[in-house]
Amino acid sequence: MKRFETYSSEETRTLGKDLAKTLSPGAILALVGDLGCGKTAFVKGIVDAFGDGEEVTSPTFTLVNEYDGTTPIYHFDVYRLEHPSVEECDWMDDYFFSDGICLIEWADNIREVLPDNTLRITFSKNPEKGEDYREITVC
Ligand SMILES: Nc1ncnc2c1ncn2[C@@H]1O[C@H](COP(=O)(O)OP(=O)(O)OP(=O)(O)O)[C@@H](O)[C@H]1O
Ligand SMILES: [Mg+2]
């Protein structure tokens, strides 16, 4: 497991951009952490690395947004899918088994359908270390 600490959303974004260099096409990242912990900030960094400069917005209603760049990025936010059946998630396989990179906010909501090679990134706050502190782990 790797562990990082950031003290601003910009730092979290930069961390995403740096980690992007270690990702190959087909990578799947489960982004796990409470509301406002920095998952989307991290996605912005990955899109900085691979995307075409498009602005990242949360796919809360569309469930997935695509960013075309050197490697396609599929940004999921499955917050609204609380207890989906496996059938309801069938359409996701086209993305999971593609040559793009899948970034999935609230991935624990769809834990059962995530491929085995999914990388888990956790985001957490620690009030003792200040409002802008985030601990980010990769495993
Ligand atoms: N170290 C930090 N890293 C990331 N964001 C930070 C940090 N410090 C403060 N913030 C603030 O926390 C918020 C993080 O928002 P962001 O949308 O990235 O969270 P999220 O985990 O995607 O939330 P949601 O579950 O609602 O999608 C922003 O308002 C950002 O400015
Ligand atoms: Mg978000």
Side-chain angles (χ1 to χ4, degrees), residues 5-127:
E5 296 176 304
T6 68
Y7 294 87
S8 68
S9 61
E10 291 74 24
E11 254 189 83
T12 297
R13 184 170 180 155
T14 302
L15 179 66
K17 189 173 178 181
D18 290 345
L19 280 181
K21 296 181 187 126
T22 67
L23 300 176
S24 314
I28 302 169
L29 274 57
L31 308 178
V32 176
D34 282 341
L35 287 168
C37 269
K39 302 179 294 297
T40 301
F42 183 85
V43 168
K44 287 178 180 171
I46 294 186
V47 172
D48 286 339
F50 290 113
D52 60 1
E54 232 182 301
E55 200 190 329
V56 171
T57 53
S58 283
T60 313
F61 295 100
T62 50
L63 297 179
V64 61
N65 282 343
E66 302 187 17
Y67 299 95
D68 296 321
T70 47
T71 301
I73 304 293
Y74 304 118
H75 176 204
F76 290 72
D77 186 331
V78 296
Y79 180 72
R80 291 190 317 122
L81 293 183
E82 257 183 78
H83 300 287
S85 64
V86 170
E87 292 73 29
E88 262 179 277
C89 297
D90 271 352
W91 61 273
M92 296 177 188
D93 281 354
D94 288 344
Y95 294 95
F96 295 163
F97 301 101
S98 73
D99 285 335
I101 291 176
C102 291
L103 310 173
I104 310 166
E105 296 193 38
W106 294 96
D108 281 352
N109 283 359
I110 57 163
R111 202 190 307 240
E112 295 77 11
V113 301
L114 291 174
D116 291 341
N117 61 334
T118 301
L119 207 61
R120 187 176 170 90
I121 322 272
T122 69
F123 298 79
S124 46
K125 297 183 185 180
N126 181 343

